[in-house]
C-alpha cells in the first residue's frame, strides 16, 4: 500500500511538471508575435544613453552615448534556443541598415538554461556559426531578482514612461528611437521582415 501511495505521488509530481512546461510553451507561442508601442503622452525619466555595459568579447566598457542619433534594436539572445537561427536574420538586417539602425545583442540564461556558456564561449559560437558583427555585450540577466539595470529600465514603466513588458522568451526586441527613448516592444517570433516591425523602424 505504501509503495502504491508513493508511486501515485511521484506520478502526480511528474504530471504537474509536464503541465508547467506545457503552460510555459503555450505562453511563449501565444506571445511570440506580441507587440507594444509607446503612447503619445508617455514620458521617460531617463534614456538609454545613461547606461554603460561591457562588450562580450573584449570586456571594454561601452558607453551608450556613442549610439546617439541612431535607432537601436535590443535583443536578449541565447545559443541553444529554437529562435537562435534569428542571429542570421538580424546580422543581415544589421549589415543592410547599420548606418541608421544598430542591433545590440545581450546574452541571457533566463529561459530554460538556453545560454549556459561563458562570454568567451558565446562570442566564439556567434562568430563561428552566424558571423555576427553587430555589438554583443556581456552575459546578463534580463528578468528576475538579478535583472540588469538596463532591462529593468526597458521593462519598468516608472522608468521608461510606458512599458512594463519583460522579455517573454529569448530574442524579444526593444526598439529605441534616435532620442534614446523606448518606443516599441516585439516578442520572439518577430523577424526583420515583419511588416509591423519595419513600420516601427521606418523601413518600407
Amino acid at each position: 500500500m505504501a509503495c502504491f501511495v508513493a508511486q501515485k505521488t511521484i506520478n502526480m509530481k511528474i504530471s504537474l511538471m509536464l503541465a508547467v512546461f506545457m503552460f510555459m510553451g503555450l505562453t511563449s507561442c501565444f506571445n511570440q508575435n506580441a507587440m507594444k508601442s509607446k503612447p503619445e503622452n508617455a514620458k521617460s525619466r531617463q534614456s538609454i544613453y545613461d547606461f554603460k555595459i561591457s562588450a562580450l568579447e573584449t570586456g571594454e566598457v561601452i558607453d551608450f552615448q556613442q549610439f546617439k542619433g541612431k535607432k537601436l534594436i535590443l535583443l536578449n539572445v541565447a545559443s541553444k534556443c529554437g529562435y537562435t537561427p534569428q542571429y542570421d536574420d538580424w546580422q543581415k538586417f544589421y549589415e543592410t541598415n547599420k548606418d541608421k539602425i544598430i542591433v545590440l545583442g545581450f546574452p541571457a540564461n533566463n529561459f530554460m538554461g538556453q545560454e549556459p556558456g561563458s562570454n568567451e564561449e558565446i562570442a566564439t559560437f556567434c562568430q563561428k556559426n552566424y558571423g555576427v558583427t553587430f555589438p554583443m555585450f556581456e552575459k546578463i540577466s534580463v528578468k528576475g531578482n538579478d535583472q540588469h539595470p538596463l532591462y529593468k529600465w526597458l521593462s519598468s514603466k516608472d522608468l521608461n514612461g510606458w512599458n512594463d513588458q519583460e522579455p517573454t522568451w529569448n530574442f524579444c526586441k526593444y526598439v529605441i528611437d534616435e532620442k534614446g527613448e523606448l518606443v516599441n516592444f516585439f516578442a520572439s517570433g518577430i523577424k526583420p521582415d515583419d511588416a509591423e516591425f519595419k513600420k516601427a523602424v521606418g523601413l518600407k
Side-chain angles (χ1 to χ4, degrees):
M1 183 66 177
C3 292
F4 174 78
V5 173
Q7 185 62 48
K8 185 176 180 181
T9 301
I10 292 172
N11 290 340
M12 288 178 65
K13 289 182 178 180
I14 293 174
S15 297
L16 179 60
M17 290 174 65
L18 289 173
V20 169
F21 287 132
M22 287 179 65
F23 175 77
M24 291 175 66
L26 287 171
T27 301
S28 176
C29 290
F30 178 76
N31 288 321
Q32 67 177 354
N33 293 318
M35 65 166 290
K36 294 179 68 178
S37 298
K38 178 183 178 182
E40 291 184 4
N41 60 348
K43 294 183 179 180
S44 173
R45 292 186 179 180
Q46 60 183 147
S47 79
I48 199 167
Y49 307 133
D50 297 315
F51 295 97
K52 298 178 182 180
I53 305 180
S54 296
L56 177 67
E57 192 166 8
T58 65
E60 176 189 1
V61 176
I62 304 299
D63 189 335
F64 281 30
Q65 292 276 346
Q66 74 181 56
F67 300 124
K68 277 188 174 181
K70 293 187 178 182
K71 292 186 176 74
L72 304 175
I73 313 300
L74 280 68
L75 312 173
N76 60 298
V77 297
S79 302
K80 299 181 182 295
C81 176
Y83 292 113
T84 299
Q86 283 194 25
Y87 266 125
D88 189 48
D89 299 311
W90 294 103
Q91 174 60 27
K92 290 176 181 176
F93 176 85
Y94 173 69
E95 290 173 358
T96 303
N97 300 284
K98 60 184 176 181
D99 59 324
K100 54 186 176 182
I101 307 174
I102 305 296
V103 177
L104 306 178
F106 299 87
N109 197 39
N110 295 95
F111 300 102
M112 300 293 290
Q114 293 180 343
E115 187 58 282
S118 65
N119 288 336
E120 293 76 14
E121 289 169 336
I122 296 167
T124 299
F125 172 86
C126 291
Q127 181 58 45
K128 180 180 178 180
N129 293 281
Y130 298 100
V132 171
T133 60
F134 59 78
M136 292 280 292
F137 296 86
E138 65 181 346
K139 187 174 174 180
I140 61 172
S141 178
V142 299
K143 62 183 300 182
N145 294 333
D146 58 345
Q147 185 180 45
H148 190 279
L150 172 60
Y151 270 79
K152 185 174 181 62
W153 175 72
L154 289 170
S155 59
S156 301
K157 62 183 178 181
D158 290 342
L159 300 176
N160 63 54
W162 66 279
N163 179 61
D164 57 2
Q165 179 64 66
E166 292 184 332
T168 52
W169 203 253
N170 303 306
F171 285 86
C172 285
K173 297 91 191 172
Y174 292 89
V175 180
I176 308 295
D177 68 12
E178 296 90 340
K179 298 178 182 179
E181 296 191 355
L182 175 66
V183 292
N184 293 93
F185 167 85
F186 293 94
S188 304
I190 296 297
K191 295 183 180 181
D193 61 355
D194 180 86
E196 289 295 332
F197 173 79
K198 291 171 71 175
K199 180 180 178 181
V201 297
L203 298 176
K204 295 182 180 180

